[in-house]
Amino acid sequence: MPGYYIKRINWLHLLFISFLYALTNLLLIRTHARQSTGKNAAYSINRNSNFTGVYPAICGSVTDTSACATNMTLAAAANLSNYNWSTGATTPSIIVNSSGAYWWETIDLTNNKVVNGNFTSGRTGFTSGYTYIAPTGSTGGSGALSAEAYYTITTDPKIAHSNFKSFPDHTANTSGARNMMVVNGAPTAGVTIWQQSIGVQPNTDYVFSVWFTSVYPDNPGKLSFSINNIALGAPILLTSATPDWKNYTVRWSSQGNTSAVIGIVNQNTATTGNDFALDDLVFAPVCRNTYNVTLSSSPPKPSITPQ
Amino acid sequence: MNNKFTLIKVAVIILFSALTLGAAAQTTTPFSGPSDTTTARPTTAASVGQVLCAGSDVVLKGPADVTGTIKYQWYKIDMTGTKKLVKEGTNKDNAYTETSTVAGYYTYQLVMVNSSNCTSDPSDLFKIYVLPALNPVIAGDPTVCEKAQTNTVLTITGLDSRYTYTYQWTRDGVNVAANGTSNTYTVTEQTAGAYKYAVKVAYTLNPACTKTSADKTITAVPVPVKPVIQFGN
C-alpha cells in the first residue's frame, strides 16, 4: 500500500508540474519580445468613408513586434518598386516612435490574375482591336509592323521593324520568358491594344501594373487604361527614349464587382512613329502587411545605495 | 522492477521541476566572499562606495518601486571577474544583504527589469571594501619602579602594517590624556601597585571599526625605603 501511495503522488505531481511548465512558458511567450507572422490574415479596417468591410480579403501578414526602445524601424520587403505605408511614407522602411498598428501594402505577385501577362504564351489570353502579325511577317518594306494598327509578340522590336530599336524585353531575359508586345499605333483613337476580362473578389483592392516603352523615338504613344470602361486617370505619354521601360501602376477597388475588364488604348493617332512595346502586365490583389508595434520604455539606470 | 519505475518517475519529476524553475526566472547563484582580494586597499574611504568592518553585513538598496512590478537583479563580481546574478528581488524587494567574510573588495551591480521585460542600463559598479579583523596585542616589560624611577614602553603587535590606525590608551579603564593616542605608550608610575593598560585601535578608513586589546598589567614595584644612616655602635 505505501508503494501505491507513492506512485499515485508521483503521477499527480508530474501532472501538476507539467501544467505549471506549460503555463509558465505561455506566460513567458506573452511577456517576452514577440515576433510572429500570420499569412492570409483578414482585417476589419475602414478603408474610406464610403466603404466598410474586410480589406483586403485575400492576402497580408500580421507581425507583432515589441521592443524596449523609444522608436523602431519597420521594414517592408526589399526591392519593391512601390512602397505605401499607413503613415503616408513611400520609403522601404519607416521609423515609428509610438506603439500602434502600422501597415504597408504590396502587390501579391504570386496571385497575378492576368493570363499571359509576360506574353510567354504568345498572343493568347487577351484580345486586341489591332491586327496580329508574326514578327517575321511583312506589312511593308520595313517588316511585320510596317503598317499601322498591327501588333506582334517578339523578343526584339527590331525583328518586327527594321527601324525599331533593338533591345530585350522589360526583364531583359536572354532566355525563357522574354517576349513583349510590340505595337505600331493605329491612326484612329480608341482602338483597344490589349484587353482581358478577369474575375475578381468583391470588396478587394487590386493593383494593375504594366511596363511600356517606345520602340521608335518619334511621336511617342499616349496610352490610357480602363477597367470596366472607366478610365483610370489621365493618359500616359511615353518618352521618346528607346528603350525606356516605365511602370504604370494604378489601384482599383473591386467594390461589388466580380469581374474586371481591363483595357489599354492608344490615344495618339500619328502615323509617323507612335510605336511602342508593352510587357509584364500584372493585375493582383493588394496585400496589407501590418505591424502591431509595442514600444516599452526601460527603467532608468539605477544607483545603488548602501544602508 | 516497480522500484526502478518509481525512480524513473522521480527523475522525470525532478527534470520537469528544474525546467519549470529555469523557465520562470533566471537562475541565481549567490556566493559568499569578496570579489577581489589582490588589489591594494583603498587609500581613502571616498575611493570606494563603502568601507565596512570585518564580518559586517552588506546591505544595499536600489530605487524604490511603488508599483511592485519591477524586478531587481543583483549581480556580484566573483574572483574571476565574472558577473553573477546573486539575487532577483520582486514585489518591491529592492534590498540586497550579505554577510561579509574575509577582507577585500565586494563589487555589486544592479539591473532593473520592468513588466514589459525591458531592462535598465546596469548601475555603476558599487564597491565595498571590507576591512580585516583587528587583533591588537600590547607588548612591553610589565614592571616599572614606583616613583617613576623607571619606565616601560608599551607597543602594539598584531596589526597589519598596510593600514593606518588611530589609538587610544587606557589605564585602568580611563583614557590616558597625555600622550595617549600614539602607537606606543611609555608607562611610568608614582605609586607601587598593579595597573591595567589597554589600547583601543581604530581603522583610519572607518573609525567605527575598532578593537580594544586585552589588558596588560603593569606592576609598579616599590623602591627600597630611604635609608637612614645611623651612627654610634
Side-chain angles (χ1 to χ4, degrees), chain B residues 5 9 18 36 42 47 49 70 131 135 141 154 158 199-200 220 230:
Chain B
F5 191 56
K9 283 190 290 185
D36 176 10
S47 60
I70 292 288
L131 294 161
N135 185 30
D141 190 336
L154 301 182
V199 65
K200 184 179 180 181
Q230 295 179 342

Side-chain angles (χ1 to χ4, degrees), chain A residues 6-7 10-11 13-14 17-18 20-21 24-25 28 31-32 68 296-307, chain B residues 6 9-10 13 16-17 19-20 23-24 50 59-61 63 110 112 114 116-124 126:
Chain A
I6 289 170
K7 186 194 298 183
N10 283 344
W11 280 114
H13 191 182
L14 180 62
I17 289 177
S18 299
L20 283 179
Y21 183 64
T24 304
N25 280 298
L28 284 173
T31 303
H32 282 74
C68 302
S296 303
S297 59
S298 296
K301 179 181 175 180
S303 55
I304 296 174
T305 307
Q307 299 299 300
Chain B
T6 302
K9 283 190 290 185
V10 169
I13 289 168
F16 265 77
S17 300
L19 289 172
T20 302
Q50 193 178 28
V59 182
L60 304 174
K61 282 200 171 180
L110 174 63
M112 297 201 301
N114 65 16
S116 301
N117 230 27
C118 297
T119 58
S120 69
D121 287 336
S123 70
D124 293 337
F126 190 85

Side-chain angles (χ1 to χ4, degrees), chain B residues 165-214:
Chain B
Y165 308 91
T166 59
Y167 312 91
Q168 179 61 60
W169 292 88
T170 61
R171 176 178 177 270
D172 289 339
V174 177
N175 286 350
V176 175
N179 302 318
T181 57
S182 298
N183 61 342
T184 61
Y185 182 69
T186 302
V187 176
T188 57
E189 293 293 346
Q190 291 294 330
T191 306
Y195 302 91
K196 289 181 178 175
Y197 280 85
V199 65
K200 184 179 180 181
V201 179
Y203 279 107
T204 305
L205 282 171
N206 185 349
C209 300
T210 64
K211 182 71 184 289
T212 301
S213 71

Side-chain angles (χ1 to χ4, degrees), chain A residues 1-45:
Chain A
M1 287 305 281
Y4 168 75
Y5 179 74
I6 289 170
K7 186 194 298 183
R8 189 177 62 166
I9 293 297
N10 283 344
W11 280 114
L12 287 172
H13 191 182
L14 180 62
L15 186 63
F16 178 66
I17 289 177
S18 299
F19 169 75
L20 283 179
Y21 183 64
L23 181 64
T24 304
N25 280 298
L26 180 65
L27 290 173
L28 284 173
I29 288 167
R30 289 177 64 84
T31 303
H32 282 74
R34 297 163 296 167
Q35 186 85 22
S36 62
T37 301
K39 286 286 184 185
N40 302 321
Y43 311 88
S44 295
I45 298 171

Side-chain angles (χ1 to χ4, degrees), chain A:
Chain A
M1 287 305 281
Y4 168 75
Y5 179 74
I6 289 170
K7 186 194 298 183
R8 189 177 62 166
I9 293 297
N10 283 344
W11 280 114
L12 287 172
H13 191 182
L14 180 62
L15 186 63
F16 178 66
I17 289 177
S18 299
F19 169 75
L20 283 179
Y21 183 64
L23 181 64
T24 304
N25 280 298
L26 180 65
L27 290 173
L28 284 173
I29 288 167
R30 289 177 64 84
T31 303
H32 282 74
R34 297 163 296 167
Q35 186 85 22
S36 62
T37 301
K39 286 286 184 185
N40 302 321
Y43 311 88
S44 295
I45 298 171
N46 292 342
R47 189 170 56 86
N48 57 43
S49 58
N50 300 320
F51 174 79
T52 300
V54 179
Y55 165 82
I58 294 178
C59 58
S61 66
V62 177
T63 302
D64 292 337
T65 180
S66 62
C68 302
T70 56
N71 61 60
M72 180 186 289
T73 298
L74 304 178
N79 301 320
L80 299 180
S81 56
N82 295 298
Y83 294 95
N84 180 30
W85 289 89
S86 56
T87 60
T90 56
T91 48
S93 65
I94 61 171
I95 297 174
V96 297
N97 52 22
S98 61
S99 298
Y102 300 86
W103 51 257
W104 62 277
E105 291 176 332
T106 186
I107 307 165
D108 180 12
L109 292 177
T110 63
N111 200 10
N112 183 13
K113 300 296 183 183
V114 172
V115 175
N116 191 30
N118 60 5
F119 302 103
T120 300
S121 301
R123 59 186 178 109
T124 63
F126 66 95
T127 60
S128 178
Y130 283 60
T131 303
Y132 174 78
I133 185 169
T136 54
S138 177
T139 59
S142 298
L145 296 184
S146 297
E148 285 75 28
Y150 278 83
Y151 79 95
T152 191
I153 307 298
T154 182
T155 58
D156 185 346
K158 197 170 183 64
I159 296 173
H161 193 296
S162 59
N163 291 333
F164 288 175
K165 187 72 174 290
S166 175
F167 56 83
D169 74 336
H170 157 241
T171 49
N173 289 342
T174 55
S175 63
R178 51 183 176 144
N179 282 342
M180 66 188 103
M181 181 180 186
V182 182
V183 179
N184 186 337
T188 54
V191 180
T192 299
I193 302 165
W194 180 96
Q195 181 174 290
Q196 190 170 120
S197 180
I198 295 170
V200 296
Q201 291 274 351
N203 299 326
T204 301
D205 275 18
Y206 289 83
V207 164
F208 175 61
S209 168
V210 58
W211 292 84
F212 47 79
T213 179
S214 295
V215 297
Y216 188 78
D218 292 352
N219 297 315
K222 188 178 182 182
L223 303 179
S224 62
F225 304 83
S226 65
I227 294 180
N228 293 342
N229 293 318
I230 298 173
L232 302 176
I236 305 299
L237 183 63
L238 278 59
T239 68
S240 59
T242 54
D244 181 21
W245 287 108
K246 295 288 189 185
N247 181 236
Y248 174 79
T249 301
V250 65
R251 184 171 179 142
W252 177 76
S253 176
S254 64
Q255 299 190 24
N257 292 302
T258 56
S259 67
V261 179
I262 304 171
I264 302 174
V265 173
N266 181 23
Q267 304 291 0
N268 188 353
T269 56
T271 55
T272 303
N274 191 17
D275 307 306
F276 47 89
L278 309 176
D279 199 6
D280 292 333
L281 291 90
V282 171
F283 185 72
V286 174
C287 294
R288 175 172 289 182
N289 305 285
T290 301
Y291 283 105
N292 290 320
V293 175
T294 303
L295 293 174
S296 303
S297 59
S298 296
K301 179 181 175 180
S303 55
I304 296 174
T305 307
Q307 299 299 300

